[in-house]
Amino acid sequence: NFVYFLRGLSFIAERIKEKFDCEDVLIIPGDSDRDETVKKQLGREAAAYLRSCLKSGDVIAVTGGTTMAQVPKGMPHLTGYEDVMVVPARGGLGERVELQANTIAAELAGRLGAQYRLLYVPDNLGPEAMESIVNEPGIREVISLIRRADIVVHGIGGAEEMARRRGLSEDVIRQILKNGAVAEAFGFYFDREGRIVYTTTSVGLSVKDLKNIRKVIAIAGGSGKAPAIRAFLKYHRPTVLITDEGAARKLLEIE
Ligand code: G3H
């Protein structure tokens, strides 16, 4: 560990890439748990990376959260992406409006001068209501766009923090944690080995769809998130990880 402490960020990025079969690993100096400006940098880095891999006609699916909210903010106003489509990866997950995937999709499309479609599905509907909503033609169209996304850009959160922020009941939270959940992404909860232990009722991208997606870009930083990032990287390979130094150094420490 002392070796990692002395080594530079590109060395650390290479080690993470090897350890988790990542497609790419980009590391911002600092720790977003201690310094909010690092999260802004993460957003800018993710925006630049996204631009570098965008192709004409692409569908981009995005998730919500405070980190993802920095991605459109870090994107300059561009033209030439009129045939790109931005969609939320999943329906409502109980986030505040400014942190919802719908909001971030619309903002990102605004920066790119791209198209967008939103998904209006309330959280945690009963099975019957869900069934009838997903069969609405307008909703079906958006869901099929999401399922054929070329690029997904998403956040990763700690399981307990995300379960609370999204207003899951104490009983459900207890159950999720009992099942060993340490991470959350897209409304799915993962244990430390990257196994899915709980799924929030919502619609849109299923984690099974990830393997058909050209680029899966995870953006998450802060040393406290290292166990959650590790769990997701175990679940999905190859991921493009955009993180910060705090999380990256911790990622190499955890066995
Ligand atoms: O799914 C993960 C969360 O959206 C991460 O949220 O970026 O606010 O920590 P955060």
Side-chain angles (χ1 to χ4, degrees):
N1 294 342
F2 190 60
V3 173
Y4 295 138
F5 180 74
L6 292 175
R7 293 295 196 133
L9 296 185
S10 59
F11 177 86
I12 292 176
E14 269 313 305
R15 293 289 84 72
I16 294 175
K17 200 169 155 179
E18 278 168 20
K19 188 169 172 183
F20 299 100
D21 299 323
C22 291
E23 185 173 337
D24 253 319
V25 177
L26 304 174
I27 306 174
I28 301 293
D31 185 337
S32 38
D33 283 349
R34 296 196 191 138
D35 177 358
E36 269 296 311
T37 62
V38 176
K39 213 177 248 186
K40 291 192 168 57
Q41 289 290 340
L42 279 174
R44 270 198 283 271
E45 190 75 16
Y49 190 91
L50 176 60
R51 255 177 98 180
S52 74
C53 58
L54 252 187
K55 291 186 187 156
S56 161
D58 273 350
V59 176
I60 310 169
V62 297
T63 69
T66 59
T67 318
M68 281 301 299
Q70 295 300 328
V71 178
K73 292 184 174 59
M75 185 70 90
H77 288 276
L78 301 169
T79 52
Y81 294 105
E82 295 75 13
D83 62 351
V84 164
M85 173 70 77
V86 191
V87 290
R90 294 193 80 201
L93 292 172
E95 290 277 22
R96 300 199 326 261
V97 127
E98 60 275 30
L99 302 182
Q100 282 173 13
N102 270 339
T103 310
I104 292 165
E107 282 180 11
L108 183 61
R111 296 290 174 123
L112 292 170
Q115 313 299 310
Y116 66 89
R117 296 280 184 280
L118 302 181
L119 197 52
Y120 295 107
V121 180
D123 301 322
N124 298 319
L125 287 176
E128 274 168 36
M130 187 66 91
E131 175 81 22
S132 79
I133 282 197
V134 297
N135 283 318
E136 283 295 317
I139 304 251
R140 259 169 65 175
E141 186 205 324
V142 183
I143 293 174
S144 72
L145 268 174
I146 294 171
R147 293 233 150 132
R148 65 169 195 81
D150 301 284
I151 301 177
V152 54
V153 193
H154 70 92
I156 302 171
E160 181 165 7
E161 184 195 340
M162 294 314 301
R164 292 196 188 284
R165 198 164 97 192
R166 281 156 183 184
L168 299 186
S169 73
E170 280 303 321
D171 274 356
V172 173
I173 296 175
R174 214 172 302 122
Q175 192 56 43
I176 294 177
L177 296 179
K178 205 175 131 210
N179 292 346
V182 296
E184 187 274 351
F186 314 96
F188 298 89
Y189 289 79
F190 305 85
D191 71 8
R192 70 186 301 277
E193 294 313 315
R195 291 177 293 236
I196 295 175
V197 293
Y198 182 77
T199 303
T200 320
T201 328
S202 186
V203 294
L205 197 79
S206 139
V207 274
K208 292 193 198 79
D209 300 326
L210 288 183
K211 61 179 184 310
N212 304 318
I213 291 174
R214 193 174 81 232
K215 289 258 182 209
V216 175
I217 306 172
I219 147 166
S223 47
K225 269 194 192 176
I229 297 171
R230 176 184 181 275
F232 183 80
L233 294 181
K234 287 204 155 206
Y235 176 79
H236 182 79
R237 295 160 193 248
T239 295
V240 175
L241 175 66
I242 302 180
T243 189
D244 62 22
E245 185 178 356
R249 290 188 183 279
K250 264 271 153 44
L251 260 181
L252 289 178
E253 279 171 30
I254 314 172
E255 261 328 299

